Amino acid sequence: MEIAIKIGQFLLSLSLLIVLHEFGHYFPAKLFKTRVEKFFLFFDVKFALFQKKIGETVYGIGWLPLGGYVKISGMIDESMDTEAMAEEPKEWEFRSKPTWQRLIIMLGGVTVNFLVAWFIYIGMMAFYGETYIANENMKDGYEITNPLMKEVGFQSGDKVVSMNGKEYEKYSDIRANFILANEVVVDRDGTEKTIVLPQDFLGRLTDAEDRTTFELRFPFIVGSFDESSLNKGGEIQEGDQVVAFDGKPISFYEEIRAITGDYKGQTVPATIVRDGINKTVNLKIDNDGKMGIYSKSSVSFFNEQGLVTRKEYSFGESIGMGSTKFVDKMGWYWGQLTKIFTPSTGAYKGVGGFKAIYDIFPDTWEWENFWGITAILSIMLGVLNLMPIPALDGGHVMFLLYEMITGRKPGDKFLEYAQIVGFFILIALVLFANGNDIYRALFK
């Protein structure tokens, strides 16, 4: 059932974004009286799952879920319809339209992608508001368990002051923007320390078995037991807080998690707090060094402590807040691309394909998460389509801008060859991204 939910969210989100992107081309094409021959969700290589002709346009659903397309008459695109292009231009064809109209048609898809993301963020602010954990509430700093994080200089208890000179109010923003950081200022026991990250840090983080960064610290309050736990039905109960283990004081869950492996197959005394009273109980450690006890989740703990901030906005406020979030996410994704296209960072190792997108979606259906993911995917789709690669919208825009600046239109043969080159570049990028997915699945 969980897999079905993830697949359902994945397909719904991508289908929605693909259809809206293609509509962004379709609408101005029809507005400028340009004939649209096909409008397809997914590719109909050899055959289509469904198709119906309405007016001059065939609408359909293909079987290959790698995207979608609109086939516009008189345009050199992935269909490579060279026979039609050899004929005299018709008034309803793309190539017969003024350059500015062709430019608007080609920019329509990415424009809709950006508008969709913007509208989603505004809607989310109006409907859901914001719920977050403030960075200033992390009085005990963050948990650092990743050996790579420790190697570059971070320690458990560090409080994040700024990254690349910018301060962040929300914990979620620290997590998201850390991948763009070159230097991080932390407060360690009241003293600020600047940690400069190695240039290849992202590549090493991608290769690492542990990819955690700044994790929330919370006390060990028993939340539940594993079915096979030796402690289930024993002396310790749900809601108990462990404050000492084998005589050693315990402030955070991370501390006991780090040492149970040293007590395999043993019974260890622990001090707990139950109803405000300290008690001593015996905890059983199995032969794998595990207690089979799950701590109450960090979010639940911070929520109970009143450390989770909730904000609601009026519709007017939502426009401003949603716009700010949209701009921030645009900058965040451009920053990622800059890292990816700088080979020395090693960030290209983290590039993923369809499985990586699928993995973003949770295994429970929550509309707030769904719309948040869909918004960032819409930004990604828009930005990637603007890349100046022939066969992408950005490639067509590049040639149209050349035509507008020089007054000379590239020849049809040149555009055909450029389209072929662009197609092979896209295939290489798709293979690389999905190859990364396969490699991580098999060897990570």
Side-chain angles (χ1 to χ4, degrees), residues 214-233:
F214 301 102
E215 305 302 312
L216 295 173
R217 305 180 91 188
F218 50 96
F220 185 8
I221 301 174
V222 177
S224 61
F225 297 87
D226 190 273
E227 285 299 319
S228 60
S229 173
L230 299 177
N231 295 290
K232 188 175 182 180

Side-chain angles (χ1 to χ4, degrees), residues 302-344:
F302 287 112
N303 196 26
E304 290 175 2
Q305 297 297 311
L307 300 177
V308 176
T309 302
R310 292 182 176 81
K311 290 185 178 180
E312 295 183 356
Y313 303 106
S314 66
F315 181 72
E317 292 171 329
S318 298
I319 295 175
M321 295 302 299
S323 298
T324 299
K325 195 169 186 72
F326 170 73
V327 171
D328 287 345
K329 290 297 182 182
M330 283 284 289
W332 174 76
Y333 190 60
W334 275 113
Q336 281 197 66
L337 286 182
T338 301
K339 293 276 188 179
I340 289 170
F341 286 104
T342 305
S344 59

Side-chain angles (χ1 to χ4, degrees), residues 272-444:
I272 64 163
V273 177
R274 180 184 301 165
D275 299 326
I277 301 173
N278 285 16
K279 294 185 63 174
T280 299
V281 298
N282 291 311
L283 297 180
K284 297 178 180 178
I285 315 299
D286 65 22
N287 292 328
D288 294 321
K290 299 183 182 301
M291 295 184 296
I293 302 175
Y294 299 110
S295 179
K296 182 176 291 186
S297 74
S298 54
V299 175
S300 297
F301 169 74
F302 287 112
N303 196 26
E304 290 175 2
Q305 297 297 311
L307 300 177
V308 176
T309 302
R310 292 182 176 81
K311 290 185 178 180
E312 295 183 356
Y313 303 106
S314 66
F315 181 72
E317 292 171 329
S318 298
I319 295 175
M321 295 302 299
S323 298
T324 299
K325 195 169 186 72
F326 170 73
V327 171
D328 287 345
K329 290 297 182 182
M330 283 284 289
W332 174 76
Y333 190 60
W334 275 113
Q336 281 197 66
L337 286 182
T338 301
K339 293 276 188 179
I340 289 170
F341 286 104
T342 305
S344 59
T345 67
Y348 61 87
K349 298 177 183 179
V351 173
F354 291 105
K355 184 181 182 301
I357 298 174
Y358 165 82
D359 287 339
I360 295 173
F361 290 96
D363 53 17
T364 56
W365 197 299
E366 296 179 13
W367 283 108
E368 185 175 1
N369 285 336
F370 173 83
W371 289 118
I373 294 170
T374 299
I376 190 61
L377 288 178
S378 193
I379 288 174
M380 292 169 62
L381 183 59
V383 171
L384 290 175
N385 264 284
L386 273 179
M387 292 175 66
I389 298 175
L392 286 178
D393 296 344
H396 292 285
V397 168
M398 177 177 62
F399 293 131
L400 286 168
L401 290 176
Y402 169 82
E403 182 180 343
M404 294 178 76
I405 293 169
T406 65
R408 293 179 294 174
K409 182 179 180 180
D412 287 347
K413 277 295 179 186
F414 171 80
L415 292 177
E416 286 176 20
Y417 292 139
Q419 192 74 15
I420 293 171
V421 171
F423 178 76
F424 280 110
I425 292 174
L426 286 182
I427 290 295
L429 290 174
V430 170
L431 289 175
F432 174 75
N434 287 282
N436 272 352
D437 284 346
I438 295 170
Y439 174 78
R440 284 192 290 266
L442 294 177
F443 303 106
K444 294 292 185 180

Side-chain angles (χ1 to χ4, degrees), residues 242-278:
V242 180
V243 294
F245 183 81
D246 196 21
K248 302 180 184 71
I250 296 293
S251 298
F252 303 104
Y253 178 57
E254 68 198 66
E255 296 172 301
I256 196 167
R257 188 175 56 193
I259 61 176
T260 53
D262 298 330
Y263 295 87
K264 294 179 181 179
Q266 298 182 38
T267 298
V268 183
T271 303
I272 64 163
V273 177
R274 180 184 301 165
D275 299 326
I277 301 173
N278 285 16

Side-chain angles (χ1 to χ4, degrees), residues 64-121:
L64 187 61
L66 297 180
Y69 71 98
V70 288
K71 174 69 177 74
I72 299 176
S73 296
M75 176 182 169
I76 297 176
D77 56 14
E78 59 272 8
S79 67
M80 298 303 291
D81 190 358
T82 54
E83 291 184 10
M85 296 300 295
E87 299 176 0
E88 287 297 314
K90 313 293 192 305
E91 63 177 6
W92 62 78
E93 289 185 335
F94 179 82
R95 55 181 168 163
S96 299
K97 302 301 176 181
T99 312
W100 66 271
Q101 291 186 3
R102 285 181 278 139
L103 183 63
I104 290 174
I105 291 171
M106 293 315 306
L107 286 173
V110 298
T111 300
V112 167
N113 282 134
F114 295 143
L115 286 174
V116 166
W118 182 50
F119 287 146
I120 287 176
Y121 286 131

